[in-house]
């Protein structure tokens, strides 16, 4: 999908001028810059840059405390975190995952020659559907990895019941769900382990980074060995390992982001509510809601567009927004099952994924976070409303160019 390569076109339809500079989904939140720099300076002064320095240790303790979990193992990114969790859980053969996720969820399995078996989603929450997951179980299945997509927690109870009934390990890709709750309990304590991402595009970032959180002592011990080449002491290796460590500079950013989390969530919440208010009542348009009885981080604002009711495809809406310098994203089009190597390995996977196949054509992530203002969100909504008020003209104009 092109990004801002063509001139804006909505002004001709009476819309206000396009944004002068692009607004991206995923622009990082930068909290207290001075505090980040002071922490990094401290690390430089102490010449402790990585390998479990004081900032990393403090970050781990603060995350575990925040989630109410026994153990937190920070990692260099969530993809490595997922790989470590998968190995530490001794998963093999086949593991059931939703196809509606970022490709890293599946790659973390395939990288270890475990087959990701794609499973369909609940049409309302867009999270893995436990009943659909049950249909994918075979004698080779060793586990299930749920993804708390866009910050909405999976139906953890249904997945845990299913996993217990079939003797499967259950883990979670919690990349989007730091700070969110399920039945009032913070994500981070469900299944055998959960993996957070603190990538720059996440509302709480550590530049790059992630964390594996678990209440399982044995698992935590294995994970700590694995992320540090298997070292159990100086010159002593007792396990096959890799290098998954977080640096002190990343921990400095992570700690400072954690201290600013309320500010980030409240900006996200304000923008989410503005989108909801501004776009309310438009036929075929829904700003995906969050469960009212749970705590959430509001980090992804997801628009669902029903092309039959709006009269314009999601892709045309997306391209039209890009031309106005609003870089909306089709997360996670076209579904992991339609990406390589999975498309070639499992060419018929889509037949089992009717909800995923429909929803990947409906959803659009919109900019949010501390880098934009309420006025920006209002302008995005005005431009969106112009598109939706002139579906045929916008479609025809895009088809001409
Ligand atoms: N599981 C799930 C469910 C995930 O969503 C992810 C990551 C993972 C696992 C793996 O986590 P990590 O291993 O990354 O910790 C981005 C992120 O790179 C990725 O972390 C994230 N999910 C995914 C949803 O979004 P892309 O391909 O969309 O990235 P990119 O480079 O297009 O960045 C998005 C936009 O953000 C850019 O258009 C501009 C803006 N941006 C980005 C960066 C990095 C900035 O303004 N500043 C920046 O520094 O994947």
């Amino acid at each position: 999908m092109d990004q801002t390569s063509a001139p804006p076109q909505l002004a001709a339809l009476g819309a206000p001028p396009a944004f002068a500079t692009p607004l991206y989904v995923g622009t990082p939140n930068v909290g207290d810059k001075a505090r980040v720099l002071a922490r990094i300076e401290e690390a430089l002064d102490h010449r402790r840059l990585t390998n479990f320095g004081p900032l990393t240790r403090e970050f781990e303790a603060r995350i575990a405390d925040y989630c109410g979990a026994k153990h937190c193992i920070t990692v260099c990114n969530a993809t490595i975190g997922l790989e470590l969790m998968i190995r530490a859980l001794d998963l093999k053969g086949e593991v059931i995952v939703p196809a509606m996720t970022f490709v890293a969820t599946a790659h973390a399995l395939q990288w270890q020659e475990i087959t990701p078996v794609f499973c369909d989603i609940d049409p309302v929450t867009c999270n893995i559907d436990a009943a659909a997951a049950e249909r994918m179980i075979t004698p080779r299945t060793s586990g299930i990895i749920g993804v708390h997509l866009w910050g909405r927690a999976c139906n953890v109870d249904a997945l845990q019941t299913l996993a217990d009934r079939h003797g499967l390990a259950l883990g979670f890709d919690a990349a989007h769900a730091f700070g969110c709750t399920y039945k009032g309990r913070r994500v981070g304590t469900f299944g055998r382990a959960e993996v957070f991402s603190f990538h720059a595009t996440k509302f709480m970032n550590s530049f790059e980074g992630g964390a594996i959180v678990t209440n399982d002592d044995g698992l935590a011990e294995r994970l700590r060995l694995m992320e540090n080449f298997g070292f159990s002491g100086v010159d002593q290796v007792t396990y096959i390992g890799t290098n998954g460590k977080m640096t002190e500079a990343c921990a400095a950013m992570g700690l400072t982001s954690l201290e600013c989390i309320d500010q980030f969530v409240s900006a996200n919440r304000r923008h989410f509510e503005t989108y909801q208010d501004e776009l309310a009542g438009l036929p075929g348009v829904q700003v995906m809601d969050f469960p009212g009885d749970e705590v959430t981080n509001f980090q992804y604002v997801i628009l669902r567009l029903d092309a039959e009711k709006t009269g314009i495809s999601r892709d045309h809406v997306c391209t039209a927004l890009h031309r106005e310098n609003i870089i909306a994203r089709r997360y996670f089009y076209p579904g992991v099952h339609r990406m390589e190597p999975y498309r070639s390995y499992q060419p018929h996977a889509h037949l089992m994924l009717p909800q995923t196949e429909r929803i990947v054509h409906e959803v659009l992530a919109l900019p949010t976070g501390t880098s934009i203002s309420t006025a920006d969100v209002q302008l995005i909504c005005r431009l969106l409303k112009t598109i939706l008020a002139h579906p045929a003209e916008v479609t025809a104009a895009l088809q001409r160019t």
Side-chain angles (χ1 to χ4, degrees):
M1 178 137 308
D2 70 326
Q3 294 194 353
T4 66
S5 54
Q9 57 183 190
L10 298 184
L13 296 170
F19 284 93
T21 52
L23 260 56
Y24 294 100
V25 172
T27 303
N29 290 322
V30 178
D32 185 344
K33 205 157 63 170
R35 189 80 182 104
V36 179
L37 294 174
R39 281 186 159 125
I40 293 176
E41 209 172 334
E42 215 176 292
L44 292 171
D45 289 346
H46 291 140
R47 294 180 191 268
R48 187 68 190 191
L49 306 187
T50 186
N51 290 14
F52 318 109
L55 294 173
T56 308
R57 289 295 187 218
E58 186 185 346
F59 191 35
E60 290 186 339
R62 299 265 290 272
I63 294 167
D65 182 55
Y66 192 84
C67 298
K70 257 175 111 175
H71 307 280
C72 168
I73 297 101
T74 51
V75 281
C76 51
N77 59 61
T79 306
I80 293 290
L82 286 166
E83 287 177 21
L84 292 174
M85 176 183 80
I86 287 160
R87 232 171 219 275
L89 288 175
D90 204 20
L91 299 184
K92 45 176 105 65
E94 296 175 358
V95 171
I96 297 168
V97 289
M100 184 64 167
T101 181
F102 190 59
V103 71
T105 321
H107 279 349
L109 290 161
Q110 191 69 52
W111 195 258
Q112 307 184 62
E113 298 185 354
I114 298 166
T115 304
V117 172
F118 298 113
C119 165
D120 213 1
I121 50 177
D122 176 284
V124 176
T125 64
C126 298
N127 276 328
I128 183 169
D129 175 350
E134 184 153 32
R135 291 195 288 276
M136 311 310 279
I137 294 174
T138 74
R140 295 187 72 228
T141 308
S142 62
I144 303 170
I145 297 183
V147 179
H148 304 302
L149 196 72
W150 303 316
R152 288 169 194 81
C154 295
N155 186 343
V156 173
D157 286 348
L159 291 172
Q160 191 63 66
T161 303
L162 178 66
D164 292 345
R165 197 162 59 236
H166 293 271
L168 303 174
L170 176 65
F172 289 98
D173 176 338
H176 300 173
F178 188 77
C180 303
T181 62
Y182 171 76
K183 295 196 172 171
R185 233 172 83 193
R186 276 207 205 283
V187 167
T189 54
F190 299 108
R192 298 279 307 281
E194 307 208 55
V195 180
F196 294 117
S197 172
F198 303 132
H199 181 261
T201 55
K202 297 295 177 288
F203 86 107
M204 215 220 52
N205 84 84
S206 62
F207 300 138
E208 286 267 5
I212 314 167
V213 178
T214 181
N215 282 332
D216 183 325
D217 298 343
L219 195 66
E221 198 184 324
R222 275 202 299 287
L223 287 164
R224 286 198 186 286
L225 287 171
M226 280 180 172
E227 78 156 339
N228 188 29
F229 315 100
F231 275 111
S232 58
V234 178
D235 300 336
Q236 200 183 343
V237 172
T238 48
Y239 213 85
I240 182 170
T242 183
N243 183 354
K245 290 169 276 128
M246 176 177 271
T247 67
E248 289 289 276
C250 289
M253 182 65 175
L255 271 169
T256 312
S257 295
L258 187 55
E259 286 162 3
C260 300
I261 194 167
D262 291 344
Q263 174 200 332
F264 299 159
V265 173
S266 88
N268 286 347
R269 180 183 197 129
R270 197 171 60 246
H271 296 332
F272 168 76
E273 286 170 353
T274 305
Y275 279 118
Q276 275 209 320
D277 291 349
E278 294 281 335
L279 302 175
L282 291 172
V285 178
Q286 185 206 346
V287 179
M288 264 187 86
D289 213 345
F290 290 93
D293 52 350
E294 302 287 0
V295 175
T296 184
N297 56 33
F298 296 97
Q299 80 169 307
Y300 287 100
V301 175
I302 303 292
L303 206 59
R304 283 182 74 162
L305 297 165
D306 177 343
E308 278 187 16
K309 293 191 182 132
T310 60
I312 180 168
S313 74
R314 181 277 315 270
D315 286 357
H316 281 137
V317 172
C318 188
T319 306
L321 288 174
H322 282 197
R323 290 186 181 195
E324 308 298 310
N325 257 337
I326 302 159
I327 314 302
R329 294 294 296 260
R330 301 180 296 175
Y331 287 146
F332 290 101
Y333 180 83
V336 178
H337 63 298
R338 290 202 178 263
M339 295 176 175
E340 291 297 357
Y342 312 106
R343 188 173 53 182
S344 298
Y345 288 169
Q346 304 176 38
H348 305 298
H350 63 279
L351 298 174
M352 297 296 284
L353 306 170
Q355 300 297 346
T356 307
E357 287 279 295
R358 181 171 60 83
I359 289 166
V360 291
H361 291 281
E362 286 183 7
V363 292
L364 196 59
L366 297 173
T368 186
T370 56
S371 66
I372 63 170
S373 65
T374 302
D376 290 332
V377 175
Q378 286 166 333
L379 180 51
I380 293 170
C381 292
R382 283 178 69 190
L383 292 164
L384 243 173
K385 283 191 263 192
T386 307
I387 296 168
L388 295 164
H390 302 88
E393 292 97 313
V394 172
T395 303
L398 289 172
Q399 283 166 344
R400 274 199 303 275
T401 51

